[in-house]
Amino acid sequence: DAGVIQSPRHEVTEMGQEVTLRCKPISGHNSLFWYRQTMMRGLELLIYFNNNVPIDDSGMPEDRFSAKMPNASFSTLKIQPSEPRDSAVYFCASSRTGTRGAQHFGDGTRLSIL
Amino acid sequence: DAKTTQPTSMDCAEGRAANLPCNHSTISGNEYVYWYRQIHSQGPQYIIHGLKNNETNEMASLIITEDRKSSTLILPHATLRDTAVYYCIVRVQGGSEKLVFGKGTKLTVNP
C-alpha cells in the first residue's frame, strides 16, 4: 500500500515568495494532519482535518499560513509570503478515525527560506 | 492531555533488549498511551498503544503499570536500525485526534 505522499521533498526559495506544500493521504483515511518540526520547537501540530473539514487550526502560526483539503485525497499547506523563520521540515500524516487512530506520516518536505 | 516525562537519551547494545521508560503520572482514565519513533530524516512512525493491559505487536511490547502512571516500551532484540528518537504520548480516545510530541528519548543502539 502506498503511504502518505508529500511533495516536494525539498524546497528552497527566497523570502516573500509563495510556497505550496502538497499531501496525498493514505486511501481510506479520513483524518489528515499537518505538522512542523524545527530544532527549537520540536514537532508541533499546525492543523488537522476530519472528513475534509478543518477541526483544529490552533497551531497555525499566523495568517500567512493557510491549509485546504478540497477532497479526501489531497491537501495543501500554503505560506504567503514566506519568511526565513518558516524554514523547517513539514510533515503530513493521515489516520482513520474509529480505529484508535494511529497516525501514518509522510517523509516530509524540507523547506528553506533564504 | 496528560504530560509525559522521558529520559533524554539511552544506549543499548545490539541484540539486547531496549527498555524505554515513560512517566505519565497525571494520566486520566480515558487516556491511551501511544509510542512513536522517528528515525533520522524520516517522518515519525507509529509503534504501539495501550490503555491498561500490556500490548505486544511485531515491533515492540508495551508494559503499563497497574496504576497507569508509567509505562515501558520494550524492543526485545534491538538492532542498529532501531536507533531513533522515541516519543511517548498520552491521548484521550474519542476526543481531539491531536498528538502532542515532547522531546522524546534518543535511543542509540551500539554494535
Side-chain angles (χ1 to χ4, degrees), chain B residues 20 22 24 32-35 48-57 60-65 70-74 88:
Chain B
L20 293 97
C22 179
H24 32 79
Y32 281 71
V33 180
Y34 283 78
W35 283 84
I48 199 167
H49 73 277
L51 181 63
K52 52 185 177 182
N53 296 322
N54 298 337
E55 303 285 346
T56 296
N57 64 20
S61 294
L62 174 60
I63 309 298
I64 302 174
T65 58
S70 66
S71 61
T72 301
L73 179 75
I74 301 172
C88 169

Side-chain angles (χ1 to χ4, degrees), chain A residues 9 31 33 35 37 40 43 45 48 50 56 58 91 95 97 99-103 105-107 110, chain B residues 32 34 36 38 40-46 49 87 91 93 95-103:
Chain A
R9 289 297 311 278
S31 290
F33 308 81
Y35 290 85
Q37 187 170 34
M40 290 294 292
L43 192 60
L45 179 71
Y48 85 88
N50 182 258
D56 184 345
S58 59
F91 290 104
S95 71
T97 51
T99 61
R100 303 204 186 114
Q103 294 181 17
F105 285 74
D107 288 332
R110 185 172 297 275
Chain B
Y32 281 71
Y34 283 78
Y36 283 76
Q38 186 173 23
H40 182 62
S41 297
Q42 297 181 19
Q45 177 189 24
Y46 165 80
H49 73 277
Y87 298 98
R91 202 193 89 185
Q93 281 301 315
S96 170
E97 296 187 65
K98 184 174 182 174
L99 290 176
V100 179
F101 287 82
K103 297 187 186 302

Side-chain angles (χ1 to χ4, degrees), chain A:
Chain A
D1 287 341
V4 174
I5 299 172
Q6 292 187 244
S7 63
R9 289 297 311 278
H10 303 274
E11 174 94 11
V12 180
T13 191
E14 294 187 346
M15 66 177 293
Q17 297 297 307
E18 178 178 292
V19 174
T20 300
L21 311 182
R22 297 172 176 80
C23 176
K24 177 179 170 57
I26 293 172
S27 177
H29 284 192
N30 59 343
S31 290
L32 182 139
F33 308 81
W34 283 101
Y35 290 85
R36 176 173 69 176
Q37 187 170 34
T38 62
M39 289 293 292
M40 290 294 292
R41 301 176 64 90
L43 192 60
E44 51 184 351
L45 179 71
L46 300 177
I47 185 171
Y48 85 88
F49 296 83
N50 182 258
N51 294 325
N52 312 337
V53 175
I55 301 300
D56 184 345
D57 66 355
S58 59
M60 293 286 265
E62 50 198 271
D63 291 347
R64 296 185 299 107
F65 285 68
S66 63
K68 294 182 180 179
M69 191 163 187
N71 58 60
S73 59
F74 183 66
S75 176
T76 60
L77 178 68
K78 189 172 292 187
I79 308 172
Q80 166 64 18
S82 58
E83 297 182 4
R85 59 191 168 124
D86 302 329
S87 298
V89 181
Y90 290 80
F91 290 104
C92 177
S94 69
S95 71
R96 187 164 55 208
T97 51
T99 61
R100 303 204 186 114
Q103 294 181 17
H104 298 261
F105 285 74
D107 288 332
T109 295
R110 185 172 297 275
L111 177 64
S112 296
I113 308 295
L114 306 177

Side-chain angles (χ1 to χ4, degrees), chain B residues 5-10 19-23 86 103-106:
Chain B
T5 305
Q6 300 177 251
T8 302
S9 63
M10 293 182 64
N19 297 285
L20 293 97
C22 179
N23 182 287
Y86 287 77
K103 297 187 186 302
T105 297
K106 174 63 190 294

